[in-house]
């Protein structure tokens, strides 16, 4: 992997060391309107490179991951006379690393960047693996590039002030990595839950490191998602459908919550299609129910959900949809198919496991 991964809570020192290693270039820090207020002042005290950098602030929120903000970012880089040697430090969640990562990938045909994720979701997913881009024409991530940053500095120091919902949302992607990796990793993750007052950001760092390495090892083998990287879609076909359904019905849910419910449903499908062990399915579902609650569904909602699943996929047929499924924990199988009857049955079982009527 081209991208260097640094796991430390001494983030300021890590930024300064990296900037020195990169030859003390001109630095632009990209923050959003939230991180500019709450994180930037901390980083300006902890890092000389950040204190001396030009700060570019973008609007927070996924709705602003668009061409207008991208153009504004390019304009800032141009006005500060950024060169091919300039380094962009992305200080924020996935919107910042996606948008500023794409701006860096395209400005003067590509300049270097460093990701400093400030949310658990970004640390475990967006900051690692080089997917960058913007939403376009009403569709998510339609314009973008695979472009790995020089480095990601993964820490847990910014998480102490995150709402519990944000922590749980990121933790769902860690659960996904545990399912993809091994029974041992999954057991450790199910023994912990990132909720207050138990939440302790120091205790999370080793778990986060193991989790990020699962993604890093996959990306290392298949950056452009031609095969193995599709395993990272586990839980996301149903998860994205739940997210879209919830938005349409004016009750949006956090991404990771939809992924957690999507994982339960796709483990049910894994049991049906690949004989995934039922005991593991039950204990995973119980963890999700305890920590994430249940997304309410009735059988009347199935056609709309299944239509959303189909939209998420390029090669669905009228009778079946493709998924990444698991034969067992640590044994992902990409490009599996489930029939519409199987999906409906899996949604019935999801409702039972989540104690819904
Ligand atoms: N979020 C999944 C991936 O980066 O491939």
């Amino acid at each position: 992997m081209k991208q260097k991964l640094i796991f430390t809570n001494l983030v300021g020192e890590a930024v300064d060391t990296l900037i020195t290693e990169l030859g003390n270039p001109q630095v632009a820090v990209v923050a959003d309107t939230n991180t500019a207020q709450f994180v930037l002042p901390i980083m300006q005290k902890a890092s000389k490179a950040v204190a001396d950098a030009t700060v570019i602030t973008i609007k927070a929120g996924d709705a602003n991951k668009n061409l207008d903000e991208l153009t504004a970012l390019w304009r800032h880089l141009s006005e500060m006379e950024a060169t091919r040697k300039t380094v962009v430090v992305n200080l924020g969640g996935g919107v910042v690393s996606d948008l500023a990562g794409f701006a860096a990938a395209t400005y003067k045909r590509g300049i270097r960047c460093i990701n400093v994720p400030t949310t658990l979701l970004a640390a475990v997913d967006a900051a690692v693996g080089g997917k960058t881009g913007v939403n376009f024409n009403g569709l998510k991530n339609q314009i973008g590039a695979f472009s790995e940053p020089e480095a990601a500095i993964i820490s847990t120091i910014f998480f102490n002030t995150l709402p519990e919902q944000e922590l749980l949302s990121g933790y769902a992607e860690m659960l996904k990595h545990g399912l993809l990796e091994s029974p041992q990793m999954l057991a450790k993750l199910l023994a912990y839950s990132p909720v207050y007052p138990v939440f302790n950001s120091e205790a999370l760092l080793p778990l986060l490191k193991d989790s990020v390495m699962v993604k890093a090892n996959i990306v290392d083998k298949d950056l452009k998602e031609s095969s193995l990287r599709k395993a990272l879609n586990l839980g996301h076909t149903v998860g994205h459908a739940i997210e879209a359904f919830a938005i349409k019905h004016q009750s949006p849910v956090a991404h990771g919550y939809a992924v957690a419910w999507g994982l339960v449903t796709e483990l049910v499908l894994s049991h049906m299609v690949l004989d995934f062990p039922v005991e593991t399915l039950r204990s995973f579902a119980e963890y999700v129910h305890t920590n994430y609650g249940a997304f309410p569904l009735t059988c009347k909602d199935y056609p709309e959900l299944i239509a959303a699943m189909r939209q998420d996929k390029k090669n669905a047929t009228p009778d079946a949809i493709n998924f990444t499924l698991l034969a067992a924990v640590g044994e992902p199988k990409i490009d599996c198919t489930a029939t519409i009857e199987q999906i409906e049955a899996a949604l019935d079982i999801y409702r039972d496991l989540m104690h819904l009527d």
Side-chain angles (χ1 to χ4, degrees):
M1 161 172 274
K2 174 175 161 272
Q3 173 175 12
K4 190 166 176 178
L5 295 173
I6 300 161
F7 299 90
T8 179
N9 276 338
L10 299 172
V11 183
E13 284 179 24
V15 172
D16 286 349
T17 305
L18 271 171
I19 293 298
T20 305
E21 283 171 12
L22 295 173
N24 289 313
Q26 179 193 39
V27 176
V29 171
V30 179
D32 67 19
T33 39
N34 294 326
T35 55
Q37 192 181 350
F38 299 111
V39 179
L40 183 63
I42 301 170
M43 285 300 296
Q44 282 169 327
K45 282 205 189 97
S47 156
K48 183 171 180 326
V50 175
D52 294 345
T54 302
V55 176
I56 303 174
T57 306
I58 60 171
K59 290 185 199 131
D62 194 68
N64 295 305
K65 204 174 91 176
N66 58 30
L67 289 181
D68 289 343
E69 285 298 307
L70 178 65
T71 307
L73 243 171
W74 280 328
R75 184 165 299 116
H76 276 292
L77 288 170
S78 175
E79 283 169 3
M80 67 180 270
E81 297 179 5
T83 68
R84 291 287 288 278
K85 292 207 163 91
T86 301
V87 172
V88 178
V89 175
N90 299 326
L91 197 59
V95 171
V96 173
S97 56
D98 281 12
L99 181 65
F102 186 56
T106 45
Y107 181 79
K108 291 193 188 285
R109 299 199 179 90
I111 62 174
R112 298 169 296 180
C113 72
I114 296 171
N115 286 337
V116 181
T118 58
T119 66
L120 179 56
L121 187 57
V124 77
D125 194 11
V128 177
K131 282 189 179 175
T132 68
V134 294
N135 304 330
F136 181 65
N137 208 16
L139 298 167
K140 289 180 84 127
N141 303 321
Q142 280 301 288
I143 310 290
F146 288 101
S147 176
E148 289 192 276
E150 289 299 309
I153 302 171
I154 309 289
S155 74
T156 54
I157 50 164
F158 305 117
F159 305 163
N160 286 315
T161 50
L162 289 181
E164 199 167 277
Q165 210 199 31
E166 271 272 352
L167 291 168
L168 281 162
S169 187
Y171 203 69
E173 296 286 353
M174 290 178 62
L175 293 171
K176 177 191 81 179
H177 290 162
L179 285 165
L180 292 173
E181 183 65 13
S182 68
Q184 292 77 2
M185 185 182 286
L186 183 66
K188 273 196 209 163
L189 290 165
L190 295 183
Y192 181 90
S193 71
V195 292
Y196 296 111
V198 188
F199 174 66
N200 165 342
S201 61
E202 286 295 330
L204 184 63
L205 191 59
L207 285 175
L208 179 58
K209 179 177 180 183
D210 289 349
S211 182
V212 168
M213 288 317 295
V214 173
K215 175 163 183 183
N217 289 332
I218 290 174
V219 170
D220 213 13
K221 296 190 189 99
D222 178 27
L223 174 68
K224 297 210 170 161
E225 202 170 344
S226 36
S227 55
L228 187 62
R229 189 167 182 165
K230 291 184 197 169
L232 294 171
N233 293 333
L234 182 69
H236 282 66
T237 303
V238 175
H240 284 155
I242 290 176
E243 239 179 326
F245 179 95
I247 291 171
K248 204 165 153 201
H249 292 268
Q250 277 90 42
S251 55
V253 293
H255 173 73
Y257 279 61
V259 169
W261 298 315
L263 285 169
V264 172
T265 312
E266 293 187 19
L267 290 190
V268 177
L269 282 173
S270 297
H271 174 67
M272 291 172 170
V273 176
L274 298 172
D275 211 18
F276 181 85
V278 75
E279 277 320 309
T280 316
L281 164 60
R282 277 192 197 288
S283 51
F284 187 84
E286 208 39 54
Y287 180 94
V288 169
H289 180 254
T290 305
N291 289 282
Y292 296 83
F295 185 77
L297 282 179
T298 70
C299 53
K300 291 201 191 88
D301 301 322
Y302 294 0
E304 205 177 318
L305 273 170
I306 290 169
M309 287 176 213
R310 195 172 266 128
Q311 272 208 327
D312 201 55
K313 293 289 170 188
K314 286 166 220 65
N315 44 356
T317 65
D319 308 320
I321 294 177
N322 55 309
F323 291 86
T324 290
L325 298 177
L326 293 182
V329 174
E331 286 180 42
K333 306 276 178 227
I334 60 170
D335 297 326
C336 297
T337 49
T339 64
I340 303 308
E341 289 71 30
Q342 284 173 318
I343 298 168
E344 286 172 348
L347 290 168
D348 283 343
I349 296 169
Y350 158 88
R351 284 167 52 214
D352 281 349
L353 290 166
M354 295 289 110
H355 312 292
L356 294 165
D357 293 334

